[in-house]
Amino acid sequence: MTAITCVVDSKSLLGESTYWDVKHQVLWWIDIYGPTIHRFDPRKGRDESWQAPEYLGCLAVREKGGLIVSMASGFYFFDHKTGAFDAIGDPEADIPDTRFNDGKTDRQGRFWSGSMFEAEGKPAEKIGSLYRMDADLGIHRVIDGIGCSNGLAWSPDGRVLYFTDSHTPFVWAYDFDPASGGVSNKRLYLDLSSEGFIVDGATVDSAGNYWLTVPFKGKVLAHDPSGRRIATVDLPFDLPTCCEFGGPDLDVLYVTSATLRREEAALRGQTKPGGLFAIAGLGATGLPLVPFAG
C-alpha cells in the first residue's frame, strides 16, 4: 500500500532538484527562492541547510567532493564543508531575463541544467536553453527556444533523453548519444493538454518508466516508455515540483513541493505544503544517479 509522509516540514517557497547520494545515503535538494541547499538524512531524520548567495537552479554530487550547482548566474562548485561557492561559467551572462532551473547528471557523469524566462512584468518569451557541462568544464548549448526547462531524465540505457518546456503540456523524447552527449530525432512522448497538465521535475525508474510531478494538480504520474500511463498518485498538497527515488533499496520516491505566491486560503486543508515528502510502496525502484565527473 502506498504511504505518503512529510519528512521535512520546511515550508519551502519552491522545493526542487532532488538528488539521492548513494554513497552517503542522503538526499540533497534545494529551495530555489530560499535560496537554500538542503541535505536530508533519513536514518537520522535530520535535515541540514546552507544559504546560497542567489536563486538556485539545480544540483548534483561531484565525484571529487562537494556539489556542482546552477544558480541564477550560471554554474558553480559548492563546498558544503566551507560554504564556499566557486564560479565556473555563465553561458547566459548576456541574457538578463533568464535564470537556471531544472537539471541533473546524465549516465556518463556530465552535468545538465536548463534555463527559463523570468522577468517580472514582461510577457513570457522562449529564450531559455538546455546546457551540458562536460568533465573538462566545457559548457555546450544543446536545446534552445525554451520557456521553462524541466522534466529532464534519461532511459536506463542512456539512449533516450526526456525533456519538457513547462510553458507547454508536452514532454519530448530525443535520441541521445552517450559518447558525445548530443541529441537528435525529437518526437512527442506525452501530450497532457487534454487534462490541463504541465510537467515539472521528473525521473526514470529501473524499468524505464518516466515518473513526473504535475504542479497545481497535486499528482505524481508514471508512464511506460511507450507513453502509456501506468500509475497515478494523488498527493495531500497541490504543488509538487520534483521527484527522485532514494533509500537503501532506491524504492522511496522523494517529492518536493512549493508555496510560492500562494494565498493562505489556497493552502488551507493541505498537508504541510512546501515540505519534502517520501512515498513508499509504489512497487518501483530507481536508478543510482551518477556524480559529476569533473
Side-chain angles (χ1 to χ4, degrees):
M1 186 171 63
T2 302
I4 304 172
T5 306
C6 181
V7 292
V8 182
D9 186 10
S10 55
K11 299 177 177 62
S12 298
L13 290 173
L14 184 50
E16 276 283 3
S17 192
T18 42
Y19 185 105
W20 179 257
D21 181 345
V22 173
K23 181 178 179 181
H24 297 100
Q25 293 289 292
V26 295
L27 184 85
W28 291 94
W29 60 287
I30 64 174
D31 180 352
I32 287 179
Y33 294 114
T36 314
I37 294 173
H38 291 261
R39 181 176 64 184
F40 173 64
D41 184 339
R43 295 164 299 184
K44 300 177 180 177
R46 179 186 180 192
D47 186 71
E48 300 174 88
S49 63
W50 294 263
Q51 197 73 18
E54 59 187 59
Y55 292 161
L56 292 154
C58 63
L59 57 76
V61 169
R62 188 184 179 198
E63 199 171 81
K64 296 178 181 178
L67 305 177
I68 182 169
V69 303
S70 63
M71 295 198 290
S73 63
F75 297 87
Y76 291 76
F77 289 132
F78 172 62
D79 184 342
H80 63 280
K81 295 179 180 177
T82 65
F85 289 85
D86 295 317
I88 304 168
D90 182 3
E92 296 196 350
D94 61 336
I95 309 176
D97 291 343
T98 61
R99 69 161 174 82
F100 278 89
N101 197 48
D102 181 70
K104 61 182 66 178
T105 48
D106 64 23
R107 310 227 181 274
Q108 290 70 43
R110 293 170 292 228
F111 182 64
W112 295 68
S113 184
S115 61
M116 62 174 286
F117 176 84
E118 187 167 88
E120 194 170 344
K122 293 185 179 181
E125 297 181 65
K126 289 186 176 292
I127 56 175
S129 298
L130 178 64
Y131 295 87
R132 183 191 77 237
M133 177 177 282
D134 296 338
D136 64 1
L137 307 188
I139 303 172
H140 308 273
R141 181 185 285 111
V142 181
I143 300 171
D144 59 14
I146 299 297
C148 180
S149 296
N150 255 318
L152 188 66
W154 283 265
S155 61
D157 64 4
R159 296 191 174 278
V160 179
L161 177 148
Y162 298 100
F163 182 65
T164 188
D165 178 348
S166 291
H167 289 178
T168 78
F170 310 122
V171 179
W172 300 292
Y174 296 78
D175 290 343
F176 185 76
D177 183 347
S180 68
V183 302
S184 60
N185 188 28
K186 177 184 178 181
R187 66 262 188 198
L188 184 65
Y189 170 59
L190 298 176
D191 179 353
L192 304 177
S193 58
S194 65
E195 296 169 285
F197 293 168
I198 61 172
V199 176
D200 203 324
T203 190
V204 167
D205 68 21
S206 59
N209 303 311
Y210 182 78
W211 293 78
L212 61 93
T213 52
V214 184
F216 304 105
K217 303 297 184 179
K219 296 181 185 296
V220 169
L221 308 177
H223 296 80
D224 71 12
S226 74
R228 180 177 63 93
R229 186 168 303 168
I230 59 171
T232 299
V233 182
D234 292 312
L235 303 168
F237 52 93
D238 73 349
L239 221 173
T241 51
C242 196
C243 61
E244 188 58 68
F245 287 95
D249 299 318
L250 295 176
D251 60 353
V252 176
L253 189 70
Y254 286 98
V255 179
T256 49
S257 62
T259 60
L260 183 67
R261 303 187 187 99
R262 310 301 303 285
E263 297 292 336
E264 185 176 337
L267 299 176
R268 195 171 296 129
Q270 297 191 34
T271 299
K272 299 179 179 177
L276 172 67
F277 291 77
I279 307 177
L282 292 170
T285 57
L287 291 160
L289 297 178
V290 179
F292 175 58

